[in-house]
């Protein structure tokens, strides 16, 4: 029995019409020819670190163990902000130190991080605008090939975290927010699905609409809006066979409430 | 000589900006680390089962033998509609039982299907909204890894088929329809290309335009509209170096006629 | 130590919503099951050969050695224009002979080319509209599997090249052009970055704006426009944390000047 081939999963804001993703993949395959590459997305809006942080955390637990996640959304490229390599709950992450790994790290049981200070892993002489290819990809290849975290830089602990609006619970009301609007128009909230277990809350609301709390789409008719446990562990505001984003006046940050 | 690595081809309406495709791929690779993943498309318009059915059938014969096709466009997710695993002409298909496999099955010489009734292949406790990841992907991994169809559920025969407008032939006229508009603006019809072999028909028409029947683009000048044998076995209405969709007032369902 | 798995990199104008990319990938995997597939892009605007030529050349040196690049943007499909297989600087290229490989070849130290004249590598009887699948992909698979260039056709030397506007240098001014606008709105120029080494030029201009020449984004504040060495060896006109394309009245072909 041989060990499974290494997997490198990629998330960027590079878009899909330029050569940038292929250049970064080339750098990975040059360093680790056995790597299997999986795209998470390359359509993060340019420099939208909060969105990137949310998407990485949403799929991390679904990726294979020992997977290397290479995530590059990097308004600070070329400015000397730190690059990071992190081990968290048995997966590796390579990313700029700008909050992109906030949600992964805040949900992890254990993590350790190094700053990418070892120039032996930098590709030199190609300008300072493409660290995804020239600094992060070689490190991802090193880790995918079984290399040690400590090889690529010095241990750091004071990572950058994004501010996260906390859940608020008082007087029988639980208030969270819309964290993400997905391709289907579902509004994914910051409220963990287990908060509605045991019937503790009986109704929800968002953008002035009362929302029933259900377990599956089957409990409602097409066009109905409802709150239900989504696929990444949080409640979704959803419309059966439709778009909640199209129906409700809600966006990222809009309050979502549960009541008794 | 080892056997070729297993291939899993994916078609969904998940879009490309969220984590959903990566989560499904992670579930496949966790079950079958050797699988090679090929994207067919993830840009089927949300819940557009007819379009998905057409696209899957258009490329099925081009995919490697023993390939597993995982196709998830699923307005009925969470409602108890059946999931299917199918063997057809030497390839595997995993999809909801909503007509998505209609054209694959109607063109197949032989097929056999099971309903995904064996909960040993379901991932539990992650909500009921993402069966692509939690039910279909584990079955696709099982089949890609050489597992048996019969393991994942009970044999079924009464599958859901989409209604297909038939070809109509009378008085020397053959009438079909536009089945698909592609990225280049070609109108792909329901008329098999072999219907024009032997010079049985001498002209075509669509949306009020007379169309010459040609064999290659080289027979016409740039900007000319024509009917010619397309790449998936059906006639295309096409404009040389242009877009038929932009030039003609035609859409999916528009009649296309051949005459003598 | 086994040799690394073969890599086939793909660039087309097929878009991402149809089955065309998957059909071509299927043809590659049927011919070379061990191939690893890397997408460069499939969003070249339909039939935009100059853009395709630029993108292929921008990433070629980043791809693994021995990589096969399959590039299909082909207004002449079905017209008898030649198909090419080329070896250039240790990588393989398969493409129509329409200028798509212009920049790769003009930058290569050595290259040799054959015309795809050997029908043993053509898939027959599937129409004449999809040579990417039926002629180019089988050749790419042959080369990826270690096959010889000479097997697939006859040596040719008179390839098609796109006209390239040359750099113009006079009276202490160097004039180039915008070659590409990327996803971030950076304007990538035709001026090699090494032209500004040693402080030979002190300022730049584009679309009526004076531009400082810097080495990294860190030297300017957010919103500032500047000229700096980009990631593929040419100067970029860029806005720190913003879009130069949005700020300047510039497009492909707009002049960019350097002065002393």
């Amino acid at each position: 029995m041989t060990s499974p081939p290494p997997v490198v999963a990629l998330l960027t804001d590079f878009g899909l019409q330029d050569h940038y993703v292929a250049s970064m993949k080339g750098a990975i395959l040059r360093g680790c020819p056995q790597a299997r590459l999986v795209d998470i997305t390359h359509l993060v809006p340019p420099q939208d670190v909060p969105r990137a942080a949310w998407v990485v955390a949403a799929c991390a637990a679904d990726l294979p163990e020992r997977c290397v996640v290479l995530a590059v959304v990097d308004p600070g490229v070329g400015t000397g902000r730190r690059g990071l390599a992190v081990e968290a709950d048995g997966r590796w992450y390579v990313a700029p130190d700008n909050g992109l790994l906030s949600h992964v790290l805040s949900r992890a049981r254990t993590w350790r991080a190094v700053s990418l200070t070892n120039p032996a892993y930098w590709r030199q002489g190609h300008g300072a605008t493409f660290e995804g290819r020239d600094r992060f990809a070689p490190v991802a290849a090193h880790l995918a090939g079984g290399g040690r975290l400590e090889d690529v830089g010095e241990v750091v602990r004071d990572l950058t975290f994004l501010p996260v609006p906390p859940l608020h619970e008082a007087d029988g009301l639980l208030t969270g927010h819309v964290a993400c609007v997905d391709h289907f128009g579902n509004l994914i909230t910051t409220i963990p699905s287990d908060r509605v277990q045991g019937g503790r809350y009986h109704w929800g609301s968002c953008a002035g609409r009362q929302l029933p709390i259900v377990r599956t789409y089957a409990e409602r008719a097409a066009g109905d809006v409802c709150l239900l446990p989504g696929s990444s562990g949080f409640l979704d505001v959803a419309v059966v066979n439709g778009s909640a984003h199209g129906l409700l006046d809600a966006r990222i940050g809009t309050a979502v409430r549960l009541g008794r």
Side-chain angles (χ1 to χ4, degrees), chain A residues 145-176:
Chain A
R148 297 186 322 142
L149 191 68
E150 290 73 16
D151 294 342
V152 301
E154 294 162 15
V155 171
V156 287
R157 289 187 181 83
D158 58 329
L159 307 191
T160 302
F161 279 78
L162 300 174
V164 177
L167 295 180
H168 182 261
E169 198 159 13
D171 302 328
L173 284 177
L174 176 67
T175 304

Side-chain angles (χ1 to χ4, degrees), chain A residues 2-46:
Chain A
T2 57
S3 62
V7 175
V8 180
L10 299 98
L11 175 143
T12 75
D13 61 352
F14 296 172
L16 292 170
Q17 82 258 39
D18 296 315
H19 65 283
Y20 298 125
V21 173
S23 286
M24 199 167 71
K25 289 181 176 179
I28 297 168
L29 291 173
R30 290 162 74 95
C32 181
Q34 304 301 329
R36 306 296 179 85
L37 304 175
V38 171
D39 296 307
I40 300 172
T41 181
H42 301 290
L43 298 181
V44 172

Side-chain angles (χ1 to χ4, degrees), chain A residues 21-225:
Chain A
V21 173
S23 286
M24 199 167 71
K25 289 181 176 179
I28 297 168
L29 291 173
R30 290 162 74 95
C32 181
Q34 304 301 329
R36 306 296 179 85
L37 304 175
V38 171
D39 296 307
I40 300 172
T41 181
H42 301 290
L43 298 181
V44 172
Q47 312 193 335
D48 189 343
V49 175
R51 165 91 188 166
W54 193 90
V55 173
V56 169
C59 65
D62 294 332
L63 298 172
E65 290 169 29
R66 317 294 310 159
C67 181
V68 179
V69 177
L70 174 53
V72 186
V73 176
D74 193 10
V77 63
T79 64
R81 63 90 200 84
R82 295 191 301 198
L84 296 177
V86 178
E87 191 271 318
D89 287 354
R91 292 180 186 81
W92 309 100
Y93 299 85
V94 182
D97 182 21
N98 60 13
L100 207 166
L101 299 179
S102 289
H103 305 321
V104 166
L105 297 178
S106 61
R107 296 177 198 174
R109 287 180 298 276
T110 62
W111 59 265
R112 58 199 176 103
V114 302
S115 176
L116 305 184
T117 50
N118 185 347
Y121 292 91
W122 305 349
R123 178 175 162 187
Q124 309 277 3
H126 289 82
T129 63
F130 198 1
E131 297 190 25
R133 178 192 64 188
D134 298 336
R135 296 204 181 178
F136 299 138
V139 168
H142 169 75
L143 297 171
R148 297 186 322 142
L149 191 68
E150 290 73 16
D151 294 342
V152 301
E154 294 162 15
V155 171
V156 287
R157 289 187 181 83
D158 58 329
L159 307 191
T160 302
F161 279 78
L162 300 174
V164 177
L167 295 180
H168 182 261
E169 198 159 13
D171 302 328
L173 284 177
L174 176 67
T175 304
H177 297 87
V178 174
C180 176
V181 179
D182 79 9
H183 171 71
F184 297 99
N186 299 314
L187 311 175
I188 307 173
T189 76
T190 58
I191 305 174
S193 297
D194 57 15
R195 289 300 188 103
V196 297
Q197 283 178 345
R200 273 180 292 172
Y201 295 98
H202 292 100
W203 54 266
S205 72
C206 177
R209 299 272 294 236
Q210 289 285 112
L211 309 174
I213 300 171
V214 302
R215 294 208 58 78
T216 71
Y217 289 122
E219 298 171 40
R220 292 282 146 175
D224 281 3
V225 59

